[in-house]
Amino acid sequence: MDPTNTQAMEGCIRCQLYSGQFDDVEEQLEMYQITIGESAEVSYLLSLLAWYKYKDSSQRIEHLKTSIKIQLDLVNSTPLSMNYFSVVNMDSLLQVVRDFLEHCPTEPKREGEELNSNLRIVKELLSVICKLIPGSNEALFFLAKIMYLSADFVTAQAVLNRCMKLDDAFEKGYILLAQIHLANGLSKLASQALEMGLSSNFEVRNFASWHILKARVLKTDGMLEEALKILLEAVTLPGVKDSFSAKNIPMIKSSDILTSTSESISLFLELADTQGKLKLYHEAAKTIEDAIRLFPGPERDRIMMANADLALERGEIDAAIPILASISNDRP
């Protein structure tokens, strides 16, 4: 291989990453940085290495920030021309958005709460992407999701409507629409959105997020037994019980069906909450124990908060205090 061909070298390193050859990748990236210097692609590859080899979310985020800065410098310095989109890699920018979202909150911010710094970064990046490729339903979907997580539900729905006009069979759009309706207290409209998503693509029933939202709608309507049934069905979906450490090789192409670690945790916590509301405290405690065992990664504090809530629901204040004390100080 020609060592001066940077694209070929970066492609080779990426292939090694996807094969799980992390030691070789780390060595090559060190040499590559010395000889070639910093680039958006190298920074992105370093972010994958930091996450999949070391499970280091802070290092991953720092490398993603560097990749974004380099690419946005290109966006701002490259004049619009036929060559523009070969220099500015929009697919790469969207992949950075996907990766950043793995480290963003999964629920809308509360009133008075400051916007999460990662959400702010992704929001700014998406505003640039949507201006450059206004016909990308994926970019619009991500922007709508960011607005939802920012608790700007009006803007989120307006952006999502633009996205759905481009593709009215976009099943992820119906799931986000259901989330927006639920956040606004409109459980009937949320249920309708979920059914529309199901009618557009029956595979939506393989999405953990669809089951979580369906259960929340049922719980809002007081149908706890039905919600429990939905959630127990969901924990049998492919990939849901894959432990955090098992998801240790990056995918060549992301899949909508495969369940992320964050979604798996949300599912387990929703199940534990439903079991608690049904006074099935032993089952709820077992669900929390399973979540702690399967997902010891950066989102462990979410599970411990749920564990403390369960202890309080049982009236065990003395048990809740040490659980809360074990939660990291930087958690809001």
Side-chain angles (χ1 to χ4, degrees), residues 8-52:
M9 288 290 291
E10 289 167 355
C12 180
I13 294 171
R14 188 179 279 260
C15 288
Q16 288 177 312
L17 256 175
Y18 292 144
S19 301
Q21 300 172 35
F22 298 136
D23 291 339
D24 292 341
V25 167
E26 191 164 24
E27 186 180 330
Q28 292 221 44
L29 284 173
E30 287 176 2
M31 293 175 59
Y32 193 92
Q33 284 182 294
I34 293 170
T35 55
I36 305 297
E38 203 170 51
S39 74
E41 175 70 3
V42 167
S43 296
Y44 180 71
L45 294 174
L46 284 168
S47 79
L48 291 178
L49 184 68
W51 184 237
Y52 287 99

Side-chain angles (χ1 to χ4, degrees), residues 16-294:
Q16 288 177 312
L17 256 175
Y18 292 144
S19 301
Q21 300 172 35
F22 298 136
D23 291 339
D24 292 341
V25 167
E26 191 164 24
E27 186 180 330
Q28 292 221 44
L29 284 173
E30 287 176 2
M31 293 175 59
Y32 193 92
Q33 284 182 294
I34 293 170
T35 55
I36 305 297
E38 203 170 51
S39 74
E41 175 70 3
V42 167
S43 296
Y44 180 71
L45 294 174
L46 284 168
S47 79
L48 291 178
L49 184 68
W51 184 237
Y52 287 99
K53 182 176 181 180
Y54 295 107
K55 308 299 181 187
D56 189 334
S57 58
S58 60
Q59 274 299 305
R60 184 190 200 189
I61 289 168
E62 287 306 310
H63 289 308
L64 287 174
K65 285 179 182 177
T66 302
S67 181
I68 289 172
K69 182 182 182 303
I70 294 171
Q71 293 194 71
L72 288 185
D73 286 345
L74 274 174
V75 168
N76 295 325
S77 62
T78 306
L80 281 173
S81 64
M82 294 294 289
N83 192 45
Y84 182 86
F85 288 98
S86 65
V87 175
V88 180
N89 191 333
M90 290 298 161
D91 288 335
S92 176
L93 286 173
L94 282 172
Q95 185 57 57
V96 170
V97 168
R98 292 187 200 98
D99 288 5
F100 243 113
L101 280 171
E102 291 182 32
H103 302 281
C104 287
T106 56
E107 300 295 335
K109 78 178 187 73
R110 297 182 293 270
E111 187 175 352
E113 183 182 354
E114 196 170 316
L115 186 65
N116 177 275
S117 59
N118 291 340
L119 278 178
R120 189 179 294 109
I121 291 168
V122 177
K123 187 177 179 179
E124 292 172 359
L125 177 58
L126 282 167
S127 66
V128 173
I129 296 173
C130 288
K131 285 178 183 176
L132 294 171
I133 44 173
S136 169
N137 67 331
E138 189 171 21
L140 288 170
F141 168 76
F142 285 138
L143 182 59
K145 187 169 185 176
I146 292 299
M147 301 313 294
Y148 161 74
L149 293 172
S150 304
D152 186 351
F153 304 129
V154 174
T155 304
Q157 188 160 353
V159 175
L160 185 59
N161 287 341
R162 289 168 55 197
C163 170
M164 299 300 285
K165 282 182 181 178
L166 294 170
D167 181 4
D168 61 6
F170 191 49
E171 61 274 6
K172 288 191 296 184
Y174 289 109
I175 290 175
L176 180 55
L177 183 60
Q179 289 177 305
I180 295 169
H181 285 321
L182 264 183
N184 286 321
L186 304 171
S187 62
K188 286 187 178 178
L189 290 178
S191 182
Q192 289 175 13
L194 290 173
E195 293 307 314
M196 289 170 69
L198 186 61
S199 64
S200 70
N201 185 352
F202 194 72
E203 280 198 349
V204 81
R205 281 188 65 89
N206 292 322
F207 292 17
S209 53
W210 187 91
H211 290 264
I212 293 169
L213 289 168
K214 185 71 174 176
R216 286 179 181 173
V217 169
L218 292 168
K219 287 165 71 175
T220 300
D221 295 337
M223 303 171 70
L224 293 175
E225 294 283 357
E226 290 82 353
L228 179 62
K229 183 179 178 181
I230 286 284
L231 293 168
L232 288 172
E233 177 186 336
V235 295
T236 65
L237 291 172
V240 165
K241 291 186 178 181
D242 284 353
S243 68
F244 175 75
S245 58
K247 298 176 180 180
N248 58 359
I249 298 178
M251 297 182 63
I252 295 175
K253 184 178 180 181
S254 61
S255 169
D256 294 331
I257 293 177
L258 289 180
T259 306
S260 68
T261 299
S262 181
E263 283 179 328
S264 293
I265 292 172
S266 295
L267 179 55
F268 272 79
L269 299 188
E270 196 69 39
L271 175 58
D273 179 72
T274 305
Q275 290 167 329
K277 284 181 168 55
L278 287 166
K279 312 296 183 187
L280 301 172
Y281 295 128
H282 177 75
E283 290 84 348
K286 177 65 168 58
T287 299
I288 294 290
E289 287 174 10
D290 288 343
I292 292 171
R293 174 177 54 83
L294 289 168

